[in-house]
């Protein structure tokens, strides 16, 4: 007889307890590194497009660059990520973590290489081709979110789970730094070769995936999934208990609001640095972004060190508060900041620091710890996908808002969104 929805909660909790008891923690370090390498590639691929489109502007192609086309190129990866997070999260709960981990790696490699090899044609131009290639890339990147989190969580002992997950997530910061270092190296070694420079920069995103592919193919399935694979029913989202539905609303809603500000600001960070006169060329933009990313990197490190002692909920709460305060300050004194480049970059970097030492890491960790094994990847994927919807909203709205009312209006909107995110802590 089919079990009622209300009975699903105790069943999956008992099955999770049995699976957790069967874990083999000795394998956690290798899988943390494997997941982290994939997350580094994902972060690199997301951020590298910002300066690459500025480099492409220096070349003449059959398809002329417009703000609308650039927005489509950037948003196509986010749309692909949404599909990948939903699809691979569900697939990982039904067909296994290992097999899907291999597929996402292949998609990231394929999307990166195809992005570097687009052809300049008048019919279906270079920017249109990039939209397709980066959508495929987004499918792989999206799948990496629930899979990296789930595999790391299921390969770690309880006492180190938070630290391991925070370590994997910290590779996002490493990927952002690597992105700027690669661009600076290419710009320095290939002067006036703009076409080759951006192609190599996009193609480099395949390197971490190539390095990780063998180890993903040869890795074993996680013990919790293998334990419950044949004995556990997998409820649909509609069959979740009220407790889990409410929890999913909280994890997804907080991630949505975070990514509105995080991706909206990150993808247009070049506009901020140009507005304060710190970056008028791709090289100067890469240098400015490198400093911003280096200054925000301690946020990831602090999360690794203090996540367990501070607690997930408290860290997310104070992160939203401090980010809201910083954006409000920058909005209110923006005219004065234009005359003080150092203070402007410092305050702008602090927003990323407290996002990374706050809701950016907790929204990644909480879903994978809160849901049981049979629905863990699915619910994490749904939460992450809703977050990426927020990223699309941020990318789509902040640029027109900036054009209409200026950067101070964008900062004020980010402050208000962060305060709304604070309200979801109590769900």
């Amino acid at each position: 007889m089919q079990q009622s929805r209300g009975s699903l909660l105790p069943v999956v909790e008992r099955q999770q307890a049995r699976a957790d008891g069967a874990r083999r923690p000795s394998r956690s370090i290798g899988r943390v590194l494997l997941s982290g390498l994939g997350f580094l590639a994902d972060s690199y691929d997301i951020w590298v497009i910002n300066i690459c489109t500025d480099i492409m502007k220096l070349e003449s192609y059959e398809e002329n660059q417009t703000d609308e086309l650039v927005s489509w190129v950037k948003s196509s990866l986010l749309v692909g990520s949404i599909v990948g997070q939903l699809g691979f999260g569900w697939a990982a709960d039904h067909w296994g973590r290992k097999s899907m981990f291999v597929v996402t790696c292949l998609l990231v490699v394929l999307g990166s290489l195809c992005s570097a090899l687009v052809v300049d044609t008048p019919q279906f131009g270079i920017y249109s081709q990039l939209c397709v290639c980066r959508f495929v890339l987004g499918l792989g990147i999206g799948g990496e979110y629930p899979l990296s989190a789930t595999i790391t969580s299921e390969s770690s002992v309880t006492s180190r789970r938070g630290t391991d997950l925070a370590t994997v997530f910290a590779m996002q910061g490493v990927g952002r730094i690597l992105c700027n270092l690669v661009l600076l190296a290419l710009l320095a070694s290939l002067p006036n070769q703009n076409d080759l420079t951006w192609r190599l920069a996009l193609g480099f995103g395949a390197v971490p995936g190539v390095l990780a592919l063998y180890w993903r193919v040869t890795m074993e399935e996680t013990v919790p999934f293998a334990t419950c694979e044949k004995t556990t029913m997998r409820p649909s989202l509609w069959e979740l208990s009220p407790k889990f539905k409410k929890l999913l609303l909280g994890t997804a809603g907080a991630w949505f609001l975070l990514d509105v500000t995080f991706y909206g600001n990150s993808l247009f960070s070049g506009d901020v640095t140009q507005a304060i006169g710190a970056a008028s060329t791709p090289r100067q933009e890469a240098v400015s972004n490198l400093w911003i990313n280096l200054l925000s990197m301690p946020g990831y490190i602090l999360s690794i060190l203090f996540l367990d002692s501070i607690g997930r909920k408290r860290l997310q709460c104070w992160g939203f508060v401090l980010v809201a305060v910083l954006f409000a300050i920058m909005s209110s004194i923006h005219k004065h900041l234009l005359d003080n480049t150092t203070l402007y970059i410092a305050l702008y970097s602090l927003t990323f620091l407290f996002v990374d030492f706050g809701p950016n890491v907790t929204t990644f960790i909480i879903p994978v710890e809160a849901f049981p094994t049979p629905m863990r990847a699915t619910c994490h994927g749904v939460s992450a996908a809703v977050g990426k919807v927020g990223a699309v909203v941020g990318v789509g709205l902040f640029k027109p808002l900036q054009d209409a009312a200026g950067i101070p209006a964008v900062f004020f909107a980010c402050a208000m969104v962060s305060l709304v995110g604070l309200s979801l802590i109590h769900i």
Side-chain angles (χ1 to χ4, degrees), residues 170-184:
M171 298 306 290
Q172 181 185 81
V174 177
R176 283 154 57 182
I177 292 173
L178 178 64
C179 164
N180 293 293
L181 291 175
V182 169
L183 284 165
L184 287 172

Side-chain angles (χ1 to χ4, degrees), residues 19 45 60 104 126 130 144 179 183 213 227 274 300 323 329 370:
D45 289 321
S60 177
T104 57
I126 204 165
L130 273 176
E144 288 285 322
C179 164
L183 284 165
L213 183 59
T227 303
Q274 289 176 8
Y300 292 103
V323 169
I329 291 174

